[in-house]
Structures are given as structure tokens and as C-alpha cells.
Amino acid sequence: MKHFLKILFFFGLLMSSFGGNLLAQNNFFQKSYVPLKSQNPIGDRIFYFYTLLQYVPEVAQTINNDVFFKKLTNEKIETFKNTVYKCDEQTACFIDKVLWSDAEKETIASEFKRLYQTSKALKNLVNNHLLPSGYFELYKNDTGEEIVAKAWKDAANASNYIIKAYALNDGLLYPKIDSATYEVKSKYYQDLLNQLFKKEAIYEGKGYKFFFQSSLSMATLLLEINNRDEAIRFRPLSLTNSQAYQKAKITTWNKYPYTAILVLGEGPEYANIPLSPHGKLRCQIAAAKYKEGTAPFIIVSGGQVHPFQTPHCEAIEMRKYLIEHCGIPATDVIAEPHARHTTTNFRNANRIIFGNDFPTNGKLMLITSKSHLDYLTNENFNKRCIKELGYIPYTSLKRLGQYEGEYTPNITSLYLNSLEPLDP
């Protein structure tokens, strides 16, 4: 008996020493998880970690009571408030005060790890929010402290990316489609930025309670003044696709070889054309496959991308075309209206599958052009996925014909990539 108790004791020590990891393993993505909301919907979508730090009461209290974070918050608030007097009309000076240096990011990551060791609130944050949300799925096999540290770094890198992109026109991955609405170097825009920073420092800064609020506010305001709110358009998708999501709950899946047919969008060249000829052709092929009984649903994927600042959304226009011109029931067409690249066509369609009542182990049929399919089945596309997403959003991707392919979704697609602020 003593020997048995000794084994239990050492097993308990082992569990404690790897507590972060064991905590994480029991609380992977939960479809029923309901994200918290603040009064900043763009912030919630891109910076969900910050939303949690502010609006989970025990986490907020833990951060605000910690000596290091309390000191950091006071310093950041004072620095931001003093920009009005120290920066004058120099935009670069304002920007410098809200960017995170590499040294700061590392120091704060270490402090989060240190705090995690003794904080039940941060452990609960991982268990009850970070992992069940799916938004941090890329880190699910890490220890709890690593998940928190990486979530912080993601948020800090995202605010840096947005501020540099929309205040300096620097560092954009896809400047032709993602850049600022205004000429960044123009006197008009520079004056606007000065007024924006000063207004925030004078009127809002005094109400800040967290060390990251100045960076968060400036990042979301820069997106707002440039009308770059694509990340929250058409949300929640449960409303946009309500009929299809309801039908999925009662669908007899074993009648179909595929869970859905995914149509990859292609934006038109001109702003006055809602749907490109290639988009129509792909819809026609998908409709023919649907009528053959290939799958019970068609997912059309593509956001408001081409041409720059287009008023038309590829997915919405394709859905309309399938219903009005191809005779597909509205209940059977699902719009994915956010993807801005081929990589995110896959990723976002997968999110629909994993987040709703669809089989998670089934395959999707893929419809696109011959040349596009040539590209997708080349190893270079895998490399692009890893570079831009951090993972490959599919397994078993292969060609079936001239315009058709198939793949199995990867659940890591749930991870929110905050370095793509127009579609994280």
C-alpha cells in the first residue's frame, strides 16, 4: 500500500510539473464555445487575446494586481499621454510610442510565463478560452505557459503590423489589395494621423487600464479610418448561412461521396463587374456536380478583394449566381465571404466545416480552373501555405480532373492569423 501511495505521489508531481501541457490536452476546440464580445468588434476579431485579458474578470484582476504588469501599464499610459507634448506634429514620433520592440515582446512573454506558474486565472484562461475557442489551435500541443506567451506575441506582432502598414505604408504582404485607402505620405493623411493620435492621447488615454491599450486602440483606429473592416463584414456567418447550417443538422451524410463542393473565387478586373466570367464558369461546374449528387452543399469562397476596395464580394455574388442562374436551392449554398487568397479559401472553408454540423473526417471536392489546379497540386503551394499560414490547411489534396480536386480539411485552420488583419 505504501509503495502504491508513493507511486501516486510521484505521478502527482509529474502532473504538476507538466501542468500547463496536461491542462491544455483536455480542453481542445469546442464547437459550443461562445466568444466574448467587447464594444470593439474589429479588436475582438483580430486581438481576441486582448479581449480576454480585459473581459475575463479574474484575468483582468490578476494582470492589474501583478507588480510587473502594473508598473508596465503605468509607464505605457504616461508615455502615450505625453506624446501630445513631446511629439508635436511628428507622426513618426507618435508611431514609435505604440510599437512593441523585440526586447519588450520577449520580456513580456517571459513575465506571462512567470505569472502563469502561480496564477489559477491564467490556467483557466487557457482551459476555458484559448483552447476551446480554436483561435489558438496552432499552439494546442504546447504547455499552457507557452500558449499564453505565444498568444501575447501574436497580438503584439499584429498591432505592429497594422500600425506600420497603415501609418507608414510599410511591411504589407499584399500591398495591391490590402493597403491604406489614402495616400499615406500625403499632407492630408499625415494631418489626419496627427489628429487621431492626439485625440486618443488626450481624451481616451486617461481611461486606459491595461498596458496594451494604446497599441490596440491605434491599430483598430487605423483600420477604421481606412474603411478596412473586412474582418467583420458578413458576421456572424451563422446569419449569412443560417438555412444551410440548419439543414446540415439533418443531412444524411452517407448518401454523398463528399461533404461539400468548394468553389474557389476569382475576382473581376473591373469594379463595375460583380462576378468574373471565370467565377461564373466555376459555379456552373459546381452546379453540375451538385446535381449529380456529389455533395449536399456548395461552399463558395472569396471576399471583397479585386479590384482594390471593390464593393462586390466574390462569395456573395457566386451564391446569388448559383441560386438565380443555376437553380441551386438557397438552403444548399454556403457563402464564405472573407478569403483574400487561395490559402485562405481552404482555411476558411475548413472553419465552416469544423465550426458547424458537418462531418469532420469527410472530404471536400474542389472546383477551380485547370491552371489554378496545376498550381495547387505543386509542392510550391504547400510551401506558400507554411510561409503564410504556418501550416498546411489540408491533407490528401489531389487532382481528380480538369477542374476538380479533393482534399481533407485540417483542424489547425481554426487558428486566427492576426498578421492577416483583413481576414485573420
Side-chain angles (χ1 to χ4, degrees):
M1 184 66 178
K2 285 183 179 179
H3 181 64
F4 177 70
L5 290 174
K6 192 178 290 186
I7 291 172
L8 283 180
F9 174 74
F10 282 112
F11 181 69
L13 287 179
L14 182 65
M15 288 183 69
S16 315
S17 63
F18 292 98
N21 204 32
L22 292 173
L23 281 168
Q25 295 297 327
N26 295 325
N27 292 274
F28 286 168
F29 170 64
Q30 296 173 15
K31 190 167 59 178
S32 59
Y33 178 81
V34 179
L36 299 188
K37 293 181 181 179
S38 71
Q39 294 180 325
N40 182 357
I42 293 180
D44 294 341
R45 186 64 186 162
I46 302 170
F47 300 98
Y48 190 58
F49 182 64
Y50 286 164
T51 298
L52 294 173
L53 294 188
Q54 294 176 88
Y55 293 98
V56 177
E58 60 270 26
V59 174
Q61 184 177 12
T62 297
I63 297 296
N64 287 331
N65 288 344
D66 181 75
V67 174
F68 171 83
F69 284 107
K70 185 184 292 186
K71 182 173 182 287
L72 178 63
T73 297
N74 291 335
E75 288 173 354
K76 286 292 179 182
I77 290 173
E78 282 305 306
T79 298
F80 189 60
K81 285 162 60 178
N82 289 336
T83 55
V84 175
Y85 312 105
K86 292 186 176 180
C87 291
D88 194 25
E89 302 295 318
Q90 301 174 52
T91 306
C93 176
F94 283 112
I95 294 167
D96 182 63
K97 304 304 181 187
V98 291
L99 291 175
W100 297 102
S101 69
D102 290 342
E104 284 180 312
K105 285 184 283 186
E106 291 299 329
T107 297
I108 295 169
S110 296
E111 291 296 332
F112 268 120
K113 289 181 181 180
R114 184 262 310 162
L115 187 57
Y116 180 89
Q117 295 303 317
T118 57
S119 171
K120 183 179 178 182
L122 287 186
K123 290 180 174 68
N124 288 339
L125 179 70
V126 173
N127 273 352
N128 300 335
H129 294 281
L130 298 187
L131 287 171
S133 71
Y135 296 165
F136 305 90
E137 187 74 11
L138 188 61
Y139 309 135
K140 68 181 179 183
N141 293 320
D142 291 323
T143 62
E145 64 179 42
E146 284 290 345
I147 293 171
V148 173
K150 288 179 178 180
W152 145 251
K153 285 185 178 180
D154 279 355
N157 288 333
S159 63
N160 279 3
Y161 179 85
I162 294 168
I163 291 166
K164 288 179 180 178
Y166 295 99
L168 300 174
N169 198 29
D170 177 43
L172 275 165
L173 295 176
Y174 292 94
K176 287 186 177 180
I177 57 173
D178 293 346
S179 60
T181 302
Y182 304 96
E183 176 56 53
V184 171
K185 303 295 184 184
S186 68
K187 185 178 185 303
Y188 172 82
Y189 193 69
Q190 291 298 307
D191 286 345
L192 177 62
L193 291 183
N194 275 309
Q195 295 303 316
L196 185 69
F197 275 97
K198 287 181 178 178
K199 184 276 296 182
E200 194 68 14
I202 295 171
Y203 296 104
E204 308 299 334
K206 59 188 176 184
Y208 289 166
K209 296 179 181 177
F210 296 88
F211 66 92
F212 52 80
Q213 280 183 283
S214 57
S215 296
L216 169 63
S217 294
M218 295 318 303
T220 54
L221 285 169
L222 282 166
L223 291 173
E224 183 180 329
I225 65 171
N226 282 284
N227 301 312
R228 308 262 36 178
D229 63 345
E230 287 93 332
I232 58 171
R233 295 175 190 173
F234 306 106
R235 292 198 178 276
L237 285 182
S238 57
L239 292 180
T240 304
N241 297 316
S242 59
Q243 290 178 299
Y245 289 177
Q246 288 301 314
K247 186 172 181 180
K249 295 178 180 179
I250 57 171
T251 297
T252 306
W253 295 103
N254 59 14
K255 289 171 55 178
Y256 305 93
Y258 293 94
T259 300
I261 299 165
L262 172 61
V263 185
L264 306 187
E266 180 175 307
E269 294 298 315
Y270 305 102
N272 62 340
I273 298 178
L275 182 60
S276 73
H278 285 290
K280 292 178 181 179
L281 178 61
R282 294 175 192 183
C283 285
Q284 291 166 13
I285 296 169
K289 288 293 179 183
Y290 167 89
K291 291 173 183 177
E292 290 174 3
T294 301
F297 297 97
I298 299 174
I299 301 174
V300 285
S301 175
Q304 290 175 274
V305 186
H306 299 284
F308 179 72
Q309 293 280 36
T310 178
H312 303 293
C313 175
E314 294 170 33
I316 299 302
E317 297 301 333
M318 286 193 289
R319 183 176 188 274
K320 189 186 304 181
Y321 184 83
L322 282 165
I323 295 167
E324 296 178 359
H325 295 275
C326 301
I328 307 300
T331 54
D332 298 356
V333 186
I334 298 168
E336 185 292 292
H338 297 107
R340 306 181 67 75
H341 315 289
T342 305
T343 53
T344 51
N345 286 136
F346 284 96
R347 183 199 69 183
N348 293 1
N350 296 350
R351 289 175 177 178
I352 288 173
I353 298 298
F354 288 110
N356 296 282
D357 294 280
F358 296 88
T360 57
N361 58 350
K363 292 183 178 181
L364 273 67
M365 175 174 277
L366 184 68
I367 301 295
T368 186
S369 67
K370 178 184 179 301
S371 60
H372 200 198
L373 205 52
D374 290 341
Y375 169 62
L376 297 181
T377 51
N378 185 288
E379 181 59 28
N380 287 332
F381 184 63
N382 285 347
K383 293 177 181 176
R384 179 185 168 191
C385 288
I386 292 171
K387 180 182 177 182
E388 296 183 9
L389 301 178
Y391 58 91
I392 297 174
Y394 48 77
T395 58
S396 310
L397 172 62
K398 68 177 183 180
R399 181 182 219 121
L400 298 175
Q402 285 279 89
Y403 311 107
E404 307 92 1
E406 69 173 23
Y407 77 95
T408 304
N410 177 359
I411 196 170
T412 311
S413 300
L414 295 169
Y415 168 69
L416 281 190
N417 179 11
S418 48
L419 288 182
E420 280 274 7
L422 306 189
D423 177 31

